[in-house]
Amino acid sequence: MRTLEQWFDEYAVSHQNPKNKAIHYVCVPAIFFSIVGLLMSIPSGLIARTLKLNAPILENWAVVVLLFVLVFYIRLSVVMAFKIAIFSTICLIVNYYIGQVFPLWIFSIGVFVIAWIGQFYGHNIEGKKPSFLKDLQFLMIGPAWVVENLFSKKRF
């Protein structure tokens, strides 16, 4: 199994151009955020009925999926899992409030589409294919790479 640093090194190969990096710093979190919103939009009564649970926090598909996502990050780094957990919590809270004033699924689809257009535009500038075309696990590495780069001393 690769270490988090090895994943970052390989991911960074196709993210050298400053414009592409800047686009990724906006679009990767936006995609993560929109996926959380889309998952929150799925009716959740099925979870509680199927699993026979009386735990309101688990009656949200986003929370259930994010728990599995955190397992992926914990295997790589407990510190990174903690950072992603904080970001995930922010996504859950903000999406909740957006859903109170606007259909969350419509908003999330819009953000998702616009952010992916940005991602592919950034890779067009870079002149390299997105990393996830090589290995789908890079879809999980992208958010960690952004968190690491935006909030570390070796940022740029």
Side-chain angles (χ1 to χ4, degrees), residues 6 14-15 19 29-30 32 38-39 48-49 57 68 77 93 100-101 111-112 115 125 135 150 153-154:
Q6 289 170 322
S14 60
H15 301 87
K19 288 181 184 176
F32 189 99
L38 288 169
L39 289 166
R49 285 193 305 272
I57 192 73
F68 287 103
S77 163
I93 293 167
Q100 299 302 303
V101 295
V111 170
F112 185 84
I125 292 170
D135 186 336
L150 287 179
K153 292 177 185 174
K154 57 179 182 177

Side-chain angles (χ1 to χ4, degrees), residues 84 88 100-101 103 119 137 144:
I84 295 294
S88 298
Q100 299 302 303
V101 295
Q119 289 282 85
Q137 291 181 79

Side-chain angles (χ1 to χ4, degrees), residues 11-156:
Y11 190 82
V13 169
S14 60
H15 301 87
Q16 296 296 309
N17 183 289
K19 288 181 184 176
N20 185 34
K21 287 171 83 170
I23 289 169
H24 274 63
Y25 293 157
V26 172
C27 291
V28 168
I31 291 167
F32 189 99
F33 177 82
S34 68
I35 290 171
V36 171
L38 288 169
L39 289 166
M40 288 177 71
S41 300
I42 299 170
S44 58
L46 178 64
I47 298 172
R49 285 193 305 272
T50 303
L51 301 177
K52 296 184 180 11
L53 296 174
N54 190 16
I57 192 73
L58 294 177
E59 291 186 21
N60 181 318
W61 284 106
V63 172
V64 172
V65 170
L66 287 170
L67 290 173
F68 287 103
V69 166
L70 289 177
V71 170
F72 175 85
Y73 289 113
I74 288 169
R75 289 178 45 227
L76 294 172
S77 163
V78 172
V79 172
M80 182 55 67
F82 181 73
K83 292 175 184 178
I84 295 294
I86 291 170
F87 178 61
S88 298
T89 302
I90 292 167
C91 289
L92 288 165
I93 293 167
V94 173
N95 271 302
Y96 171 80
Y97 285 109
I98 290 170
Q100 299 302 303
V101 295
F102 196 79
L104 184 56
W105 69 274
I106 293 173
F107 180 84
S108 297
I109 287 173
V111 170
F112 185 84
V113 169
I114 291 167
W116 272 110
I117 290 169
Q119 289 282 85
F120 284 108
Y121 175 70
H123 279 287
N124 186 47
I125 292 170
E126 182 84 42
K128 295 186 180 174
K129 293 180 184 177
S131 300
F132 74 87
L133 294 176
K134 178 180 176 186
D135 186 336
L136 286 177
Q137 291 181 79
F138 280 111
L139 291 171
M140 300 286 283
I141 297 303
W145 181 82
V146 169
V147 166
E148 185 68 19
N149 280 281
L150 287 179
F151 300 106
S152 72
K153 292 177 185 174
K154 57 179 182 177
R155 184 184 339 189
F156 302 99

